[in-house]
Amino acid sequence: MRFMLLFSRQGKLRLQKWFTSMSDREKKKIIRDMTTMVLARQPRSCNFMQWKDLKIVYKRYASLYFCLGVESQENELLALEIIHRYVELLDKYFGNVCELDIIFNFEKAYFILDEFLMGGEVQETSKQIVNRSIEASDMLQEVRFTDMHQTLQDDRLE
Amino acid sequence: MTVTLLPLQEMIRAIRSARTQCEERGVIQRECAAIRAQFRQADNGGRSHNLAKLLYVHMLGYPAHFGQMECVRMIASPRYSEKRVGYLGAMMLLDEKQDASLLITNSIKNDLSNSNQYIQSLALCTLACMGSAEMCRDLAPEIDRLLRASNSYIKKKAALCAVHIVRKVHDLGELFTKAARSLLTEKNHGVVHGAVVLITELCERNSETLERFRKTVPDLVQIMKGLVISGYSPDHDVAGISDPFLQVRILRLLRILGRNNEGASDAMNDLLAQVATNTDSTKTVGNAVLYETVLTVLDIKSESGLRVLAVNILGRFLLNNDRNIRYIAMTSLQKIVGTDHNAVQRHRGTIVDCLKDQDASVKRRALDLSLALVSASNIRSMMKELLSFLSSCPPELRSQTASGIFNAAERYAPSQRWHIDTILHVLTTAGGDVRDETVPNLIQLITNTSELHCYTVHKLYRALLSDISQQPLVQVACWCIGEYGDLLLRGECQETEPVQVTEDDVLDVLETVLQSHMSFPSTRGFALTATMKLSTRITENVDRIRSIVSIYGSCIDVELQQRAVEYNALFKKYDHMRAAVLERMPVIEKNSQGHINGETIKESQTVKVKPGDLLFKRLMHSPWLNTDLKLMQPSTLSVFSVVATVTVYEKDGVTVTLSCEKQSDSGLTVTLTASNSTESDIRGFTLQAAVPKSVQLHMKAPSGDSLPARGAAKVTQMVVLNNPNKVQLAYLQLVSEVFDLSPIFYSFGSQNI
């Protein structure tokens, strides 16, 4: 997998994960191309497209488009399953996930993604294990959180 | 100084509620300024929020490079929350091209050995995401250690991190081979999955490694069996399939190991058959596994029975309601259409039906596959389908369809008439999307099908009457009318209903093309030449042609003007040659590719071309020529690339001519001949010559230096030119004290005209 992009129906980018090293200019171009191509598709189209040497797999969930750029030897149908799995993970975490959740908690969306995929490959095939890892990491963060919250308050009062 | 900072979510809200781009920029600039100020301050506990805000702003497309150092600092922080955001920032803002990325190597190294697995995980994830080759080399031993001795949570991540390392630094593959092997025996799915991915990567990079890993085939088969046969496993079940992600990866690895190897292929044969038969294909996930299985079967040295099973699965896919399934079925069939042609032919009907699918992706695949399935036996029916597809296909596919049709027609045309009809059909439907060489190719085909000249010109005439916008069609039509206009006027035709036209009608059509704003300049050239050619094929309206030709003698388009002037000359000075020059074209031999300018002249020592020659005619009429060869007229600038006798000076009774003889690839002998038809002798006549620097010149002694009166004798002088550097265009400038002679250009090494 080369990249994963999430964008809204208006073409606003909500998440970008790049699995290969690319210049900013190249990334911007890919984002532009992907949003143009995907948003131009008819509602009940095939979810696969050919773009340069990559296969583009996309799926729309409510108001968000999930778009993957995979290499030619990868399995497109499985890529659809990968997208679906990620949505399920987000759904479990946020409880009935919607686009706003991903906007306001984008860093959480990344953390979840980073427990599911790594280096462009699936990292963990069990939903439960991924969920548990996220919960545990959040707990770890919580422990320090109360300290920070206090510090922030103190800052404001200054 | 206190700066009010919005918490992350507040900032996001503020940005979203901005009504204009300008307002949004304002909010962001304010926030960024505050963030920058905060970064400069000492550690204050709110750092992770600030960095998170910066990352959000970055995602919107605004510059965030000033956060790079903050990422480095945060990663080094002991607080988990800060590390987490710091590493996220590193993955988003730092890539291997930034210098700052090296600074985190040490932090990563430390975190890799942290007692807390979640901190180790952060380091592994970041390394696998943006680790440069240098960082990878540095940390590879650490990763190897983690591959062997840690819990499964870390092992699975270390495996994928190793994959990244191998991709960046191929040699390091050796380091991980042993660990990868042992990981296959673990129970944890995540670890096994990571191991399979790592082994796949190692095998793809190194054929020796691949040989060694062939031994793992039985183990892999065992694991697959366990997944396929075992009962319901809640942890990994997806719609009744147990861990499809792992199944697909194993199948892919088996494909690589079984390729070109009988032993390995045999060992996996039964398993593949089992998976192919038992996997539930009602949901996408099952089909994903089946798809991978089919790809594997078709790529290894499988038994024929298994192969048939695989192709049948693809056949079933073709009939599936789900467009995605149909799409991947066609992609797979495309891969095997060369090797298993007959098997794929059986599904031709379904594939052709997919041409009518609404979806653009499906149409594209169907087109590729249909073109691959055209054969001598099905050419007529396939062409019907392809032509109907052409008239309704999306514009981006038209050019490909047209070329595909031409290729197929050329290879399998059952008759020449069918061939010509097909090409005409394409030109009428999609004339704007065909390639440039279509026009000359079609003309050649028509010329060589002499029995169909009448039929062809009738068809083209009718086509021209209805539509003159499709340029390739118009060009071919004009050419044909010019060549075979007499057949049109005769009013009889065997193959089709003849038209009753008068000479005026035909000339009208050509004039319409000439005058239409839709016609390209090259098309108008065709029309003008055709009009000219008709002057020898019609009987009554030659004057009309004469007037058309003379009008265009002052046309703004230089090309047309030149042609008109030359045709005018043909009418006036060379009228005696007109019939010969404008005769029917002979059969044209097929060119090799890449000769845009027409036939090659056979290598001959001297080719002297005069008007009236066959070669001359070809040049005049050649559809390849965008610039016709200029007639040999006395002009200030004579450009020629054929050997000929040229008069370079003719004034006041003195004539100087020049003729060339090519001696070798780089050598040329020029013979200058001067004569004097005045009443008095001319003495002291000398010629000097100049050539470009790279060309060598050797002027031989002239036969004399005086030109006797009344052409009693001529003076000749030989000039030897040598062109060792193979300069394409050389000029010979003749200088005389008495006369004003202009430069003459010669094009060396031109076999093509």
Side-chain angles (χ1 to χ4, degrees):
Chain A
M1 208 178 302
R2 297 265 186 94
F3 56 81
M4 176 189 264
L5 301 173
L6 264 70
F7 46 86
S8 71
R9 275 194 291 180
Q10 288 76 36
K12 286 214 121 129
L13 194 65
R14 299 299 177 208
L15 188 143
Q16 52 177 325
K17 188 77 187 177
W18 305 93
F19 298 112
T20 46
S21 170
M22 257 185 267
S23 71
D24 265 346
R25 202 143 132 251
E26 285 170 300
K27 288 183 190 170
K28 285 202 159 70
K29 174 150 198 317
I30 291 178
I31 294 170
R32 252 198 330 265
D33 286 350
M34 290 302 111
T35 43
T36 321
M37 274 170 67
V38 170
L39 293 175
R41 298 281 280 183
Q42 304 285 7
R44 268 181 303 277
S45 306
C46 175
N47 297 92
F48 311 132
M49 291 185 283
Q50 191 69 32
W51 183 79
K52 301 201 180 162
D53 61 328
L54 294 178
K55 299 198 263 207
I56 307 299
V57 179
Y58 76 94
K59 188 129 194 238
R60 182 169 146 231
Y61 286 85
S63 59
L64 270 183
Y65 284 92
F66 289 70
C67 177
L68 292 181
V70 302
E71 294 181 347
S72 51
Q73 68 268 37
E74 291 183 54
N75 185 321
E76 298 99 308
L77 294 176
L78 197 72
L80 277 177
E81 288 300 312
I82 289 176
I83 293 177
H84 192 76
R85 174 58 65 92
Y86 183 47
V87 174
E88 283 180 323
L89 292 168
L90 289 170
D91 198 49
K92 183 77 202 293
Y93 183 82
F94 288 109
N96 240 329
V97 68
C98 64
E99 190 184 343
L100 283 177
D101 289 321
I102 300 186
I103 295 172
F104 282 96
N105 300 285
F106 71 96
E107 78 277 21
K108 300 278 170 47
Y110 277 102
F111 296 150
I112 296 172
L113 188 63
D114 288 338
E115 282 297 325
F116 175 44
L117 302 176
M118 192 195 272
E121 308 285 347
V122 169
Q123 188 192 136
E124 177 54 65
T125 57
S126 154
K127 266 189 285 194
Q128 290 79 346
I129 294 181
V130 175
N131 287 329
R132 267 181 256 146
S133 312
I134 296 287
E135 278 167 36
S137 310
D138 281 350
M139 285 293 291
L140 205 54
Q141 198 166 300
E142 288 279 313
V143 170
R144 319 281 180 189
F145 182 65
T146 39
D147 301 351
M148 255 185 346
H149 188 77
Q150 192 57 46
T151 324
L152 205 59
Q153 295 279 47
D154 295 341
D155 256 358
R156 286 244 185 88
L157 292 170
E158 251 170 67
Chain B
M1 181 180 112
T2 43
V3 199
T4 38
L5 280 175
L6 300 171
L8 170 63
Q9 307 212 334
E10 286 295 321
M11 183 195 79
I12 297 178
R13 213 164 277 133
I15 292 174
R16 281 169 63 77
S17 59
R19 274 160 300 171
T20 62
Q21 265 280 24
C22 198
E23 227 181 291
E24 178 184 290
R25 264 201 298 270
V27 173
I28 288 176
Q29 268 168 5
R30 267 199 317 275
E31 285 297 316
C32 283
I35 292 169
R36 239 190 289 238
Q38 282 291 315
F39 283 170
R40 280 196 291 267
Q41 286 184 10
D43 174 11
N44 56 12
R47 282 160 66 193
S48 57
H49 288 282
N50 291 330
L51 187 55
K53 284 198 281 188
L54 186 60
L55 294 179
Y56 182 81
V57 161
H58 171 74
M59 189 154 60
L60 291 178
Y62 293 89
H65 42 269
F66 58 89
Q68 286 175 5
M69 284 315 291
E70 187 66 11
C71 293
V72 175
R73 257 176 264 136
M74 299 266 281
I75 288 172
S77 155
R79 296 200 191 109
Y80 178 71
S81 56
E82 292 183 354
K83 260 197 211 290
R84 214 181 184 194
V85 179
Y87 273 119
L88 178 64
M91 286 191 273
M92 285 176 73
L93 301 180
L94 296 173
D95 64 26
E96 56 182 42
K97 297 192 181 79
Q98 316 281 8
D99 296 327
S101 64
L102 283 175
L103 297 172
I104 63 173
T105 315
N106 218 34
S107 297
I108 294 182
K109 195 175 195 155
N110 291 335
D111 285 339
L112 281 176
S113 358
N114 196 297
S115 52
N116 188 314
Q117 66 177 14
Y118 297 107
I119 292 182
Q120 286 178 301
S121 155
L122 290 176
L124 284 166
C125 190
T126 309
L127 183 60
C129 176
M130 47 73 74
S132 65
E134 239 182 278
M135 287 163 78
C136 289
R137 255 188 275 265
D138 246 347
L139 299 166
E142 268 304 297
I143 305 299
D144 186 48
R145 190 181 61 79
L146 290 173
L147 273 179
R148 296 162 196 276
S150 54
N151 59 29
S152 46
Y153 181 71
I154 294 300
K155 271 188 188 160
K156 76 182 184 216
K157 292 180 188 258
L160 291 179
C161 200
V163 170
H164 175 85
I165 292 177
V166 172
R167 284 180 186 157
K168 276 272 177 272
V169 187
H170 305 328
D171 309 326
L172 287 172
E174 271 304 308
L175 183 60
F176 299 121
T177 316
K178 231 169 130 210
R181 180 80 186 75
S182 62
L183 286 178
L184 265 188
T185 55
E186 302 241 347
K187 287 275 170 285
N188 181 295
H189 282 227
V191 178
V192 175
H193 186 277
V196 171
V197 176
L198 180 55
I199 295 174
T200 310
E201 191 68 34
L202 294 171
C203 291
E204 276 176 341
R205 302 243 167 231
N206 188 314
S207 50
E208 275 171 30
T209 320
L210 192 148
E211 289 292 331
R212 278 190 278 165
F213 272 109
R214 274 223 182 87
K215 292 184 283 222
T216 63
V217 170
D219 298 322
L220 292 166
V221 168
Q222 224 20 61
I223 300 172
M224 262 309 269
K225 275 213 173 96
L227 291 171
V228 174
I229 301 176
S230 71
Y232 177 72
S233 149
D235 268 354
H236 300 103
D237 182 271
V238 180
I241 313 276
S242 185
D243 207 339
F245 302 103
L246 183 56
Q247 286 197 29
V248 166
R249 283 320 296 242
I250 293 180
L251 287 166
R252 200 162 129 192
L253 179 55
L254 286 174
R255 180 153 83 240
I256 296 171
L257 295 175
R259 207 180 269 153
N260 294 325
N261 187 291
E262 296 269 356
S265 302
D266 280 339
M268 55 181 85
N269 205 71
D270 287 344
L271 168 74
L272 292 172
Q274 194 168 25
V275 177
T277 357
N278 288 349
T279 307
D280 177 18
S281 59
T282 46
K283 298 256 168 61
T284 308
V285 64
N287 287 325
V289 176
L290 277 174
Y291 176 41
E292 198 72 32
T293 313
V294 165
L295 289 178
T296 303
V297 167
L298 295 174
D299 211 9
I300 63 172
K301 292 198 171 292
S302 46
E303 248 176 36
S304 62
L306 190 56
R307 232 177 151 79
V308 169
L309 182 59
V311 180
N312 286 347
I313 292 177
L314 288 179
R316 269 198 345 254
F317 278 0
L318 273 181
L319 299 166
N320 196 306
N321 280 331
D322 188 338
R323 276 211 176 95
N324 295 332
I325 309 283
R326 291 209 295 278
Y327 178 92
I328 53 125
M330 285 195 280
T331 326
S332 315
L333 287 170
Q334 185 83 35
K335 292 197 194 123
I336 58 165
V337 77
T339 47
D340 298 72
H341 193 92
N342 292 329
V344 183
Q345 279 283 6
R346 275 202 289 273
H347 303 285
R348 197 178 74 243
T350 327
I351 293 168
V352 168
D353 280 340
C354 287
L355 281 172
K356 305 188 189 94
D357 195 302
Q358 303 282 21
D359 186 277
S361 303
V362 173
K363 274 211 245 267
R364 187 185 292 270
R365 289 276 158 248
L367 174 65
D368 286 339
L369 207 44
S370 302
L371 288 173
L373 287 176
V374 173
S375 72
S377 49
N378 59 32
I379 179 74
R380 281 189 198 268
S381 53
M382 282 302 276
M383 196 50 82
K384 262 206 284 274
E385 299 285 348
L386 287 170
L387 287 173
S388 113
F389 176 67
L390 185 63
S391 39
S392 59
C393 76
E396 63 267 15
L397 288 180
R398 268 221 279 263
S399 174
Q400 189 186 348
T401 314
S403 326
I405 289 177
F406 286 152
N407 286 339
E410 200 171 305
R411 284 169 73 185
Y412 303 114
S415 77
Q416 292 192 302
R417 179 172 155 173
W418 181 94
H419 194 174
I420 291 179
D421 280 341
T422 307
I423 300 186
L424 290 181
H425 193 132
V426 174
L427 288 182
T428 350
T429 338
D433 297 295
V434 298
R435 288 208 303 269
D436 289 338
E437 56 263 25
T438 311
V439 169
N441 285 344
L442 179 56
I443 288 177
Q444 183 180 9
L445 180 66
I446 292 173
T447 319
N448 296 354
T449 320
S450 39
E451 61 276 15
L452 289 175
H453 283 169
C454 192
Y455 168 75
T456 315
V457 72
H458 272 87
K459 266 204 104 150
L460 284 168
Y461 179 75
R462 287 206 182 91
L464 212 55
L465 281 179
S466 55
D467 176 19
I468 58 168
S469 62
Q470 303 274 37
Q471 297 302 298
L473 186 66
V474 173
Q475 288 175 1
V476 176
C478 287
W479 194 90
C480 277
I481 293 176
E483 268 302 288
Y484 310 122
D486 48 328
L487 298 176
L488 197 59
L489 292 163
R490 217 180 288 165
E492 60 189 39
C493 183
Q494 277 181 324
E495 305 268 345
T496 179
E497 170 104 13
V499 287
Q500 303 302 331
V501 281
T502 63
E503 292 177 359
D504 270 319
D505 293 330
V506 177
L507 288 173
D508 280 341
V509 159
L510 287 176
E511 251 196 299
T512 320
V513 172
L514 261 176
Q515 292 163 354
S516 165
H517 61 279
M518 287 189 284
S519 302
F520 291 176
S522 49
T523 312
R524 295 168 82 196
F526 271 91
L528 188 61
T529 307
T531 310
M532 186 59 189
K533 285 195 217 173
L534 283 178
S535 71
T536 54
R537 289 159 175 73
I538 61 174
T539 47
E540 289 152 22
N541 263 318
V542 185
D543 278 330
R544 183 173 169 187
I545 295 181
R546 247 191 267 263
S547 72
I548 294 175
V549 161
S550 77
I551 289 173
Y552 277 88
S554 39
C555 174
I556 281 184
D557 183 311
V558 177
E559 172 60 29
L560 279 182
Q561 184 190 115
Q562 185 187 322
R563 287 190 190 210
V565 164
E566 289 171 4
Y567 295 155
N568 238 338
L570 201 56
F571 266 124
K572 300 207 166 84
K573 277 182 94 172
Y574 299 96
D575 201 40
H576 53 284
M577 286 199 261
R578 187 160 52 89
V581 171
L582 299 175
E583 227 177 46
R584 263 280 200 281
M585 287 288 284
V587 169
I588 306 173
E589 282 110 38
K590 182 92 188 177
N591 274 338
S592 53
Q593 287 291 70
H595 274 140
I596 317 162
N597 286 333
E599 298 91 20
T600 55
I601 304 171
K602 291 213 182 45
E603 293 260 0
S604 58
Q605 292 300 79
T606 348
V607 180
K608 285 201 170 51
V609 176
K610 297 187 234 15
D613 258 14
L614 177 64
L615 179 62
F616 193 81
K617 265 192 285 188
R618 282 189 181 181
L619 299 170
M620 281 279 295
H621 298 207
S622 173
W624 283 266
L625 268 184
N626 279 329
T627 55
D628 282 347
L629 189 70
K630 291 165 178 49
L631 290 177
M632 307 309 178
Q633 293 174 17
S635 53
T636 41
L637 217 65
S638 306
V639 180
F640 60 93
S641 52
V642 197
V643 175
T645 311
V646 182
T647 309
V648 293
Y649 185 87
E650 194 172 9
K651 197 175 159 187
D652 298 327
V654 180
T655 316
V656 180
T657 64
L658 178 156
S659 81
C660 309
E661 231 181 85
K662 220 167 179 216
Q663 302 296 1
S664 67
D665 208 23
S666 63
L668 186 75
T669 308
V670 176
T671 309
L672 299 162
T673 314
S675 65
N676 169 14
S677 61
T678 62
E679 294 297 313
S680 46
D681 297 343
I682 296 172
R683 289 174 214 288
F685 174 75
T686 54
L687 286 173
Q688 286 158 316
V691 289
K693 274 204 212 108
S694 46
V695 179
Q696 296 160 3
L697 172 78
H698 180 64
M699 279 192 99
K700 302 241 168 98
S703 59
D705 72 344
S706 64
L707 289 170
R710 273 169 254 116
K714 293 193 192 240
V715 167
T716 53
Q717 184 164 22
M718 301 258 283
V719 181
V720 178
L721 295 175
N722 198 20
N723 181 16
N725 297 342
K726 312 261 187 210
V727 170
Q728 269 300 91
L729 194 68
Y731 63 79
L732 183 71
Q733 171 118 21
L734 293 177
V735 177
S736 159
E737 283 157 6
V738 186
F739 308 110
D740 176 26
L741 296 157
S742 41
I744 298 133
F745 287 80
Y746 179 84
S747 172
F748 277 83
S750 60
Q751 299 301 333
N752 312 331
I753 311 265

